[in-house]
Amino acid sequence: MLLRRTASNPLSNIKSFFGSFYKSSPISLLRSSSTMPSKVPMRLVIVGGVAGGMSAATRARRLNETASITVFERGSYVSYANCGIPYALGGVIKDDAALVLQTPQALNDRFNIDVQINKEVLSIDRENHTVDVRAKGSESIQQVPYDKLILSQGAEPFRPPIGGIDLPNVFTLQTIPDLQKIKAYLAEHGGTRVAIIGGGFIGLEVADALHSLGLEISIVEYMPHVFPPLDADLAEPLHAEIRRHNVNLLLNARIEKIEAPGIDTPGRVVLADGVPILADLVIVVVGVRARTSLAEKAGLKIGKTGITVNRFMQTSDPDIYAVGDMIESEHRIAGRALQLALAGPANRQGRLAADNIFGRKISYRGNVGTSACKVFNLTVASVGFSVTSLRQMGFDPLWVIVHPPDHAGYYPGSHPMTLKVAFEKETGRLLGAQAMGTAGIDKRIDVLATAMQAGMTMFDLEHLELAYAPPYGSAKDPVNMAGFVGSNLLRGDVNIIHAEDLKIGQDAAQIVDVRSPGEVSRGYIPYAVNIPLNKLRENVSTLDKGRRVVVYCQVGYRGYLAYRILKQKGFDVVNLDGGYKSVLEGGFKALQTSREKL
C-alpha cells in the first residue's frame, strides 16, 4: 500500500494507516532530519555493525556529509562476511582475513564514521536521547547522546537445554571468533569425528566443508528431514546426496546428553534411544533467536520473534530504528511480520533506515524469503513457503513439479533439475518455489523471487522472456515450463494427482505406465500396466471406462499427452505430477518396484 500526502494535512494518511502504532505519541510516525535545524549536525548512533548496521552507516554518510555517525560494536569485527564462515572452516576460503570486509580505520578514512569496537550498549534512555556504553574489560559507563538511533544487533545462536551443551568441545558457529575457537581446538586437541547438531543452512554447509578435510561427519537433526524450508519429498534427494558422501545422517533424533572426550575415550553425543555418536568435536547450529533484550529493556514493542517495526524500519519510538535479524518484517506471502535471518534483507533494511532518517520516505516492500545452499554436489534453493508450511498457515495451495534440464539437452553438460512451484488455486498467485539440481538452480529461484515480489501468477510465468542460448538455458526455460504446467492445471486442461495421494491396489484406479519397456524394466509403480504412449490409441479398448485411470511417465510430459488422449475419449483420468522421477526422488517407497523385484 502506498502512502500519499494531501495538501491539507500531509500527515493524515500516515497517521491513519498505522492506526494505534504510536498511540502515545502526538507526533507523526515519520520524523526526519528535515524537521531539525539545518545548522546542527545530526547525531546518529548505530548499535551493531555487519550487514544492517554498516549498510545504514555508509548510506547515511552518502546522504549527509555533516552528520556525526557513531557505530558501537560489542565484538572485535564490525564488517565481515559471516555467510562465508563455514567455507573458511573447511579451507575453501584459505585465509580468515578474507572474511573481513572493512576495518574501523578504513571506515573512518573513507566515510568519516566513528566505529568503536569491543564496546557494548547497555541501555537506552529514550526520554533524554542517550545510550549507556561500556568498553570490554572496563567498569566505567560512557553516556552518548543521539538524535536518531539504529539497532542492528542481529540474532544469537540458540543453545538447546541439553546436558553437556557447555563442554569445552562444544561450539556454535556464527562469528569469526567462533571460527577461530574451533580451529584452535582442532589444532590443539586433534580429532577426526565431528557431530553437527542441526541440519539447516549452516549445518549442511559445515558438513560439506569439514567433509572436504577428510573428517568423519555426523548430522543430528531433530526434524524428519534436513533443510526445513523444503517439503519432505524435495529433501529426500538431499538425504541421498549426504549419505552418498558417507556422512552419518540421523533424522528425528532426540539428544539425551553430550559427553566430553577423555584421555583415552572419545567424546559422545548420546541419543534418547541410547545410541551413542562418537564425536571429538560438536558444533551446534540449530537456529538463532533475535537479540531483543536491549530494546525490551527500553520499553520498545516486541513481537513474537523480534522487534516490531513499521515499513520505514521505525520501532514504537519514532527516533529509534531497527534492522536485520533482530526484527520482524512483513512477509509478502504470509501477510504478516516474521523474523527472517538473511543477509540480503538486512542490508536493504539498513540502507532504507538511513534513507528515512535523512528525509527520503521510502517504505520497505517486505520479504519473500529467498535462499540457496550448496550441499556437496547439489544446490538447493527456495523462495516463499513450502506446501507443508502453506497448509500449516491455512492456505490450500495447488502445486506442480517439473524436471527440465538446466540448459538445452542437446548441448553437452546439461543436468536435470527439480522445480516445485506452489500457487493459489483461485488466482494462480505464486506462493512458493523449491528447486534442486547441480546447475542453474539459483537463477531460476531468483526469477521466481522477482516474480513473487511483483505479485505475479502462474499465468505470468508462461510469458516471461528469459535469456536463452544452448549453453545457458532452453527456449522453454524451466520457469516457463512450470508456468505452462501450472496454467494447464488452472485452466482445466489437465487434472493431476501427487505421489503422496496415489493409492495402489486391486480396487484402486487403473494405473497406466506410458514409458517404453526399457524404462519400465528399471522400475515401475505396482499394479501398473505398460502401454507405451505411441501405442495408447490402439490399446484404449483394453482399459475400463468405468474406473479412473492414472497415467504416468518418467517426468510428466508423456503422461500429459496420454491424459489428453484419454480425456477426449471420455475417460476419468489424472496424470501423476512429476512422473516416476518424483516417486523415486521423493522417497515414496510403497510406489516403487525395483528391477530386482521384476
Side-chain angles (χ1 to χ4, degrees), residues 515-524 554 558 580 584 592-596 598:
R515 298 175 298 162
S516 69
E519 291 173 284
V520 174
S521 71
R522 294 189 289 272
Y524 63 96
Q554 187 64 21
R558 284 172 292 170
Y580 194 62
L584 290 174
Q592 301 174 27
T593 300
S594 67
R595 183 187 305 180
E596 289 75 17
L598 291 175

Side-chain angles (χ1 to χ4, degrees), residues 452-466:
M452 289 174 65
Q453 278 282 10
M456 289 185 177
T457 68
M458 289 298 283
F459 301 116
D460 294 315
L461 299 187
E462 291 183 294
H463 300 281
L464 291 181
E465 183 178 349
L466 303 172

Side-chain angles (χ1 to χ4, degrees), residues 27-137:
I27 61 175
S28 144
L29 173 66
L30 281 170
R31 181 180 356 177
S32 72
S33 62
S34 60
T35 63
M36 299 180 180
S38 59
K39 293 183 179 180
V40 179
M42 176 184 287
R43 297 168 299 184
L44 174 61
V45 172
I46 301 173
V47 183
V50 197
M54 296 320 302
S55 291
T58 53
R59 177 64 170 172
R61 175 57 73 221
R62 292 193 296 271
L63 295 177
N64 191 303
E65 182 61 25
T66 63
S68 167
I69 304 173
T70 305
V71 178
F72 292 110
E73 167 57 49
R74 72 173 187 173
S76 302
Y77 301 90
V78 73
S79 180
Y80 64 95
N82 51 0
C83 295
I85 286 174
Y87 305 105
L89 179 61
V92 176
I93 298 173
K94 302 299 182 183
D95 188 352
D96 295 352
L99 299 173
V100 179
L101 305 177
Q102 294 282 358
T103 64
Q105 187 60 54
L107 287 163
N108 184 266
D109 291 344
R110 176 163 294 184
F111 294 102
N112 190 25
I113 296 172
D114 181 15
V115 176
Q116 302 187 31
I117 59 174
N118 296 314
K119 286 193 174 182
E120 183 176 7
V121 174
L122 303 176
S123 62
I124 304 168
D125 184 338
R126 291 168 53 190
E127 182 176 356
N128 294 307
H129 278 61
T130 62
V131 294
D132 287 343
V133 183
R134 182 175 63 198
K136 184 177 180 179

Side-chain angles (χ1 to χ4, degrees), residues 58 154 158 187 204 210 215 284 295 300 390 425 496 536 555:
T58 53
F158 176 65
L204 295 179
L210 292 181
L215 300 178
V284 181
L300 300 178
L390 288 167
K425 62 174 60 176
I496 63 175
L536 181 60
V555 297

Side-chain angles (χ1 to χ4, degrees), residues 7 14 65 99 108 206 211 217 221 225 261 321 356 415 565:
I14 295 173
E65 182 61 25
L99 299 173
N108 184 266
V206 169
H211 178 270
I217 309 298
E221 171 55 47
H225 65 79
Y321 294 69
N356 282 286
H415 300 280
I565 292 170

Side-chain angles (χ1 to χ4, degrees), residues 410-457:
Y410 60 82
Y411 187 89
S414 71
H415 300 280
M417 67 172 64
T418 296
L419 178 59
K420 182 176 184 178
V421 182
F423 50 97
E424 282 184 340
K425 62 174 60 176
E426 297 84 4
T427 66
R429 180 174 73 104
L430 298 171
L431 300 175
Q434 305 158 66
M436 185 178 308
T438 58
I441 302 303
D442 55 338
K443 170 182 175 179
R444 274 65 192 209
I445 286 297
D446 284 345
V447 170
L448 287 163
T450 302
M452 289 174 65
Q453 278 282 10
M456 289 185 177
T457 68

